[in-house]
Amino acid sequence: VEAFEEFAGKVKARYDEKQAMDLEFDDAPDEFKDPLMSTMMRNPVILPSGVTMDRDIIQRHLLNSTTDPFNRQHLTQDMLIPDTALKARIEAWVKERMGK
């Protein structure tokens, strides 16, 4: 029971941290936001359809459906391409904001 309570505490802390970060960066450029959830992307990936999404969000979608949410074509995790250029721009923007 203690281990579960400790785990639940860690999950809650992580959730609270993410919520605070999302609120703090609510004014982020649209290109930095996931198109489904409108939250700041942390690990953007490009789908075969050309749409960029946050990896965590598309992976969660793939647990329920093996289709691209934008065109309903077959989609698997190995088809996701990391968008390293966008990730670098997001990280630079966050770093600049945190420095202010």
Side-chain angles (χ1 to χ4, degrees), residues 17 25 28-29 41 50 54 69 71 75 78-79 84 94:
E17 178 183 306
F25 299 126
M41 290 189 280
D54 191 64
N71 65 11
L75 180 65
D78 62 330
M79 298 166 77
T84 54
V94 168

Side-chain angles (χ1 to χ4, degrees), residues 25-51:
F25 299 126
D26 197 36
D27 63 337
D30 286 341
E31 70 174 313
F32 294 172
K33 295 181 181 180
D34 180 85
L36 286 183
M37 302 299 290
S38 293
T39 55
M40 179 84 129
M41 290 189 280
R42 287 161 182 74
N43 191 3
V45 292
I46 304 168
L47 310 183
S49 61
V51 176

Side-chain angles (χ1 to χ4, degrees), residues 39-80:
T39 55
M40 179 84 129
M41 290 189 280
R42 287 161 182 74
N43 191 3
V45 292
I46 304 168
L47 310 183
S49 61
V51 176
T52 300
M53 292 186 66
D54 191 64
R55 181 179 298 276
D56 289 345
I57 293 171
I58 191 62
Q59 285 179 328
R60 207 169 338 153
H61 168 80
L62 290 173
L63 292 173
N64 298 315
S65 173
T66 59
T67 60
D68 183 315
F70 297 96
N71 65 11
R72 297 293 178 210
Q73 297 295 314
H74 179 70
L75 180 65
T76 60
Q77 289 190 37
D78 62 330
M79 298 166 77
L80 305 175

Side-chain angles (χ1 to χ4, degrees), residues 77-92:
Q77 289 190 37
D78 62 330
M79 298 166 77
L80 305 175
I81 301 168
D83 192 340
T84 54
L86 179 57
K87 185 174 183 176
R89 290 197 312 274
I90 292 170
E91 288 172 349

